Amino acid sequence: MTFEKNISLGVLDLVPRLNGATAEQALQQAVLLAQRAEAWGYARYWTSEHHDMAELASAAPEVLLAHIGARTASIQLGSGAVLLPHYSPLKVAESFRLLASLYPGRIELGLGRAPGGGPHATMALSGNYLQHVSKLPESLASLTALLEDRYTYEDVPVTARPVPETSLSLWMLGTNLKSAAFAAQFGMGYVFGQFMSDSDGVQAVRRYREQFVPSAYLKRPVVMAAVSVMCASSEREALIWSREMADKRRENQQRQSGDQLDREYGTGPSSVSDSGELVGSGHSDSNALKHVAGTPEQVWQQLWRLTQRLNTNGILVVTAGPDYERRLDSYRLLAEAKEECLIRFSQCNS
């Protein structure tokens, strides 16, 4: 039996250090997650960039992706996201073209526009961040020109090498109209960060599609959504585990009170409100769920609604805990239930 709308699942891994794990252990778990995700049929593994965040272990996505690429066979590998305001477009283009040469046809460059850390770490990384982010349109123009081999400096051609035979794909991650407009202007794919946003994403995605300009690497607008998920065999377990995740995250944030979580691309999914209540569970009717918790069927029901609302068939799943075993179980349960749930939902909508 087939279903009319296939949904591509991907992993967005923040590489959390769970329950006192060392950075080495967190990175080993990242490799294991990518390998298991590949075996379970996930289409892509993306990893984030954050700086001086004690609870996270991925500050350089391109390094981790090179390591994981050597230990997987076919899963797409991407950044979620490289924070472009910090860097030279040439350096970013060179790094990801090198990855694309190592792993042909597998590399996806996701870009973000947020600091990715507290104010002191941000200044230590690249100086005046606000000045850099104000020049993001110029940086994006330079990066796209480099990836299309049409960049010049003082009228002299400059090429980002090595030049892979198969081009990488380019994406912009964000939660607001500005990021959507950038993705449209430069002909990139757009990832709406539902797990960071109180908005339902409809306006941002509409803006992206309406303003999309075809590019050398993308002829039509393509949308994915990133959502925080905790999937378990029972709804009660999923809600308890989500509570554990939220409590641990709040403790980490209190220990790092000097760090300011950014809204454009934050340190992780927010699954609780200020009052401590779950934002959403698998049976909620809310249109803007930062976090979805429940049985596989309950979670898929919410993911189906999300894909219908945003007219997308791509989902990036963020599951940040509460421990590594249950994180793997959540990803596995979600993948195993995919076909049955999509058949049922397709039949209900036919």
Side-chain angles (χ1 to χ4, degrees):
M1 185 176 294
T2 61
F3 37 86
E4 62 181 30
K5 180 176 182 177
N6 192 12
I7 294 177
S8 172
L9 281 178
V11 172
L12 176 53
D13 188 7
L14 307 181
V15 196
R17 294 179 55 208
L18 299 176
N19 302 319
T22 64
E24 290 85 352
Q25 290 169 330
L27 291 166
Q28 290 168 2
Q29 288 294 327
V31 174
L32 179 61
L33 174 58
Q35 292 171 329
R36 295 286 177 86
E38 183 174 72
W40 294 329
Y42 283 78
R44 50 182 44 86
Y45 172 92
W46 285 21
T47 187
S48 62
E49 175 187 335
H50 293 100
H51 300 283
D52 194 23
M53 296 289 183
E55 72 275 18
L56 302 176
S58 182
E62 65 275 19
V63 177
L64 181 55
L65 293 176
H67 180 69
I68 287 177
R71 287 155 178 79
T72 52
S74 59
I75 195 168
Q76 298 290 111
L77 303 170
S79 55
V82 167
L83 304 177
L84 186 58
H86 289 306
Y87 307 114
S88 155
L90 176 59
K91 182 58 178 175
V92 173
E94 288 176 335
S95 296
F96 276 79
R97 276 191 156 184
L98 177 55
L99 283 171
S101 300
L102 287 168
Y103 308 111
R106 296 178 61 190
I107 300 303
E108 301 177 318
L109 171 53
L111 302 169
R113 53 185 296 270
H120 291 88
T122 298
M123 288 186 286
L125 180 62
S126 63
N128 190 331
Y129 173 78
L130 292 178
Q131 184 179 39
H132 297 322
V133 80
S134 70
K135 296 179 180 178
L136 185 59
E138 292 88 342
S139 294
L140 288 169
S142 295
L143 179 61
T144 53
L146 284 160
L147 294 175
E148 295 173 10
D149 295 315
R150 53 179 178 79
Y151 180 81
T152 62
Y153 188 86
E154 295 183 347
D155 297 324
V156 176
V158 175
T159 301
R161 301 182 188 277
V163 180
E165 291 186 357
T166 303
S167 299
L168 53 85
S169 65
L170 196 56
W171 298 79
M172 173 66 73
L173 285 75
T175 60
N176 58 33
L177 296 179
K178 185 170 289 187
S179 58
F182 283 140
Q185 179 183 351
F186 293 99
M188 308 175 189
Y190 180 57
V191 181
F192 177 72
Q194 182 68 83
F195 75 105
M196 301 174 291
S197 178
D198 295 320
S199 164
D200 64 8
V202 172
Q203 190 176 5
V205 169
R206 182 186 302 119
R207 173 74 60 85
Y208 165 69
R209 287 197 169 102
E210 289 175 349
Q211 297 185 355
F212 181 81
V213 178
S215 64
Y217 33 82
L218 192 61
K219 302 305 179 186
R220 292 181 297 275
V222 180
V223 173
M224 290 196 290
V227 60
S228 173
V229 168
M230 174 48 67
C231 193
S233 56
S234 73
E235 181 183 27
R236 181 175 181 274
E237 284 181 318
L239 294 176
I240 290 173
W241 296 353
S242 295
R243 172 63 61 195
E244 289 182 30
M245 291 161 57
D247 290 344
K248 290 176 182 178
R249 185 160 47 251
R250 186 159 44 246
E251 290 174 6
N252 288 333
Q253 292 172 3
Q254 289 171 350
R255 281 197 299 267
Q256 290 189 289
S257 58
D259 291 328
Q260 297 177 358
L261 304 185
D262 55 77
R263 298 293 299 172
E264 180 62 25
Y265 197 75
T267 60
S270 175
S271 61
V272 292
S273 65
D274 291 339
S275 63
E277 297 301 320
L278 285 168
V279 171
S281 62
H283 54 68
S284 173
D285 291 327
S286 171
N287 280 337
L289 296 183
K290 290 181 178 179
H291 181 76
V292 179
T295 65
E297 182 175 0
Q298 289 174 325
V299 171
W300 268 114
Q301 186 175 48
Q302 289 297 329
L303 296 183
W304 176 265
R305 291 176 181 174
L306 176 64
T307 62
Q308 296 291 99
R309 186 174 76 243
L310 299 183
N311 189 25
T312 178
N313 63 355
I315 296 289
L316 286 173
V317 178
V318 183
T319 302
D323 56 50
Y324 294 120
E325 181 178 358
R326 285 182 284 185
R327 182 172 76 147
L328 286 173
D329 283 343
S330 179
Y331 279 109
R332 176 183 56 81
L333 289 169
L334 191 65
E336 290 176 347
K338 173 183 170 180
E339 183 171 357
E340 180 181 349
C341 288
L342 292 187
I343 291 172
R344 183 181 306 128
F345 298 151
S346 295
Q347 291 173 340
C348 291
N349 284 269
S350 61

